[in-house]
Amino acid sequence: MGMDEKCDSPQSLAANPDAAAVARGIMRLFARNDIWCIPEMPLRNNRRADLMGIDAKGQVIIVEIKVARGDLMGDGKWPDYLDHCDRFFWGLATHLDRTCMETEAFRPDQCGLIVADGYDAEILRPAPLMPLATARRKAEVERLARAAMRRHAVSLDPRMDLWGKN
């Protein structure tokens, strides 16, 4: 599987309609605020960001989406995302109890909080800026741009994916 191929694991947005709806709501909110992102972006540490994008200032944003309490409480991998973004958000379905988001385990001083459904989203807590090193940001932006361009090209010509680097 190539670095940009969609992972069809049970955690992927494509496999979970509720998570896909939350992603859509967040992407609509972001678009209104000139933040453009793509779903399921593979990271260099073999993790996959549910949403990863760039705001108008060139800052890299990652959103980790949760639609089930068990998945939220059992996720121990999310700190691995912090080294790949300037701002990190939790993106939660509107029905989830959010009280745990204020505990130290979820680092409210380092993480923003968004609630969303399939139509829209609201930022309940802005994500604090934790600037990446310039070289790291450049690498992340370039990887994100290449992934977005590849996805766009393949959407126009699905056979083009056969020519891509694996």
Side-chain angles (χ1 to χ4, degrees):
M1 186 179 311
M3 275 299 288
D4 188 43
E5 290 182 39
K6 180 174 55 177
C7 301
D8 288 323
S9 67
Q11 293 93 359
S12 79
L13 297 177
N16 187 327
D18 293 334
V22 169
R24 184 173 53 248
I26 293 170
M27 290 173 74
R28 287 176 175 182
L29 168 71
F30 279 2
R32 286 194 311 273
N33 290 282
D34 203 18
I35 301 169
W36 300 97
C37 57
I38 61 174
E40 298 184 357
M41 177 62 189
L43 303 176
R44 292 172 53 199
N45 63 359
N46 294 320
R47 300 286 189 210
R48 184 191 65 237
D50 290 331
L51 293 175
M52 186 172 184
I54 303 171
D55 69 11
K57 295 178 181 176
Q59 296 169 345
V60 178
I61 297 170
I62 289 180
V63 180
E64 176 67 1
I65 294 172
K66 298 297 179 188
V67 296
R69 180 168 173 74
D71 188 27
L72 174 63
M73 300 307 290
D75 184 352
K77 69 184 183 323
W78 72 270
D80 295 347
Y81 301 146
L82 299 176
D83 289 338
H84 298 274
C85 62
D86 295 296
R87 297 184 189 273
F88 177 87
F89 285 95
W90 288 100
L92 303 183
T94 56
H95 68 270
L96 279 182
D97 176 16
R98 299 182 293 275
T99 55
C100 66
M101 297 273 85
E102 300 307 319
T103 66
E104 192 56 37
F106 289 94
R107 302 184 194 178
D109 59 321
Q110 296 180 11
C111 304
L113 179 60
I114 301 172
V115 294
D117 59 22
Y119 301 99
D120 205 357
E122 179 181 2
I123 296 174
L124 297 184
R125 181 176 62 228
L129 177 63
M130 298 175 29
L132 289 172
T134 303
R136 171 56 73 89
R137 180 179 302 104
K138 180 179 185 281
E140 294 299 336
V141 168
E142 287 175 358
R143 287 181 67 263
L144 188 56
R146 289 180 56 78
M149 287 185 279
R150 178 174 184 229
R151 290 180 189 188
H152 180 69
V154 170
S155 76
L156 297 174
D157 180 1
R159 291 186 50 85
M160 193 175 297
D161 200 34
L162 300 174
W163 302 325
K165 183 178 176 183
N166 287 331

